[in-house]
Structure formats: structure tokens, C-alpha cells
């Protein structure tokens, strides 16, 4: 089971299928966010359909880029042979 999963995510043969699955999941998340009723919203932007999905996606992308920036520019990441 694990070998098939690793092959699916590592092999270039499944690249198109992985992209289609990613887009399908993203579409389903936005669709669920649009279809869930929100009778009591605290902020104006909470009433915008798809706001939660968009905010979550943008936040995850920002976390990844900020972490990579801190790792490379902040001196946290070192070469493999740093201690040799």
C-alpha cells in the first residue's frame, strides 16, 4: 500500500492525474464553502462566498514562502556537510 502511494506521488506518469485530483479537491472545498449557510457572521468578509477557502489557501502559501525565506536568508538551513 505504501509503495503504491509513494509511486503515485513520485512518478511522473501520474503528474496529470495528481493535478486533476488537486484541482478537484480545491473545487470541492470552495463549493462546500459556498453552499454552507452562514446566518450569523461577525465580519463583513465572512459573508463573501469562498472567502474561507481562499484565505486558507493564501495563508498556507504565505507560510511556505516565509518559512523558506527565513530558512535560507536567516541562516537556519545549513549544507549537509556543515559539521564535517
Amino acid at each position: 500500500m505504501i509503495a503504491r502511494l509513494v509511486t503515485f506521488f513520485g512518478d511522473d506518469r501520474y503528474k496529470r492525474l495528481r493535478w486533476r485530483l488537486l484541482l478537484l479537491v480545491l473545487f470541492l472545498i470552495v463549493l462546500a464553502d459556498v453552499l454552507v449557510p452562514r446566518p450569523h457572521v461577525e465580519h463583513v468578509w465572512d459573508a463573501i462566498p469562498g472567502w474561507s477557502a481562499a484565505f486558507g489557501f493564501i495563508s498556507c502559501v504565505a507560510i511556505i514562502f516565509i518559512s523558506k525565506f527565513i530558512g535560507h536568508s536567516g541562516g537556519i538551513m545549513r549544507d549537509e556537510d556543515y559539521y564535517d
Side-chain angles (χ1 to χ4, degrees):
M1 177 70 184
I2 296 294
R4 288 176 42 194
L5 191 63
V6 169
T7 302
F8 177 74
F9 283 108
D11 199 351
D12 283 339
R13 292 183 294 172
Y14 301 108
K15 185 176 184 179
R16 181 174 292 222
L17 180 61
R18 286 191 309 253
W19 272 107
R20 287 182 181 171
L21 285 174
L22 172 69
L23 293 176
L24 177 68
V25 168
L26 289 175
F27 173 76
L28 291 175
I29 289 172
V30 171
L31 182 68
D33 192 33
V34 169
L35 294 179
V36 172
R38 297 193 177 142
H40 306 289
V41 294
E42 293 185 26
H43 305 287
V44 176
W45 53 84
D46 287 336
I48 299 172
W51 167 253
S52 299
F55 181 74
F57 179 75
I58 291 169
S59 298
C60 287
V61 170
I63 288 171
I64 290 169
F65 281 114
I66 290 170
S67 299
K68 289 186 92 42
F69 175 75
I70 291 172
H72 290 291
S73 299
I76 295 174
M77 291 185 64
R78 301 285 184 202
D79 292 333
E80 290 182 22
D81 57 351
Y82 176 72
Y83 292 108
D84 291 339

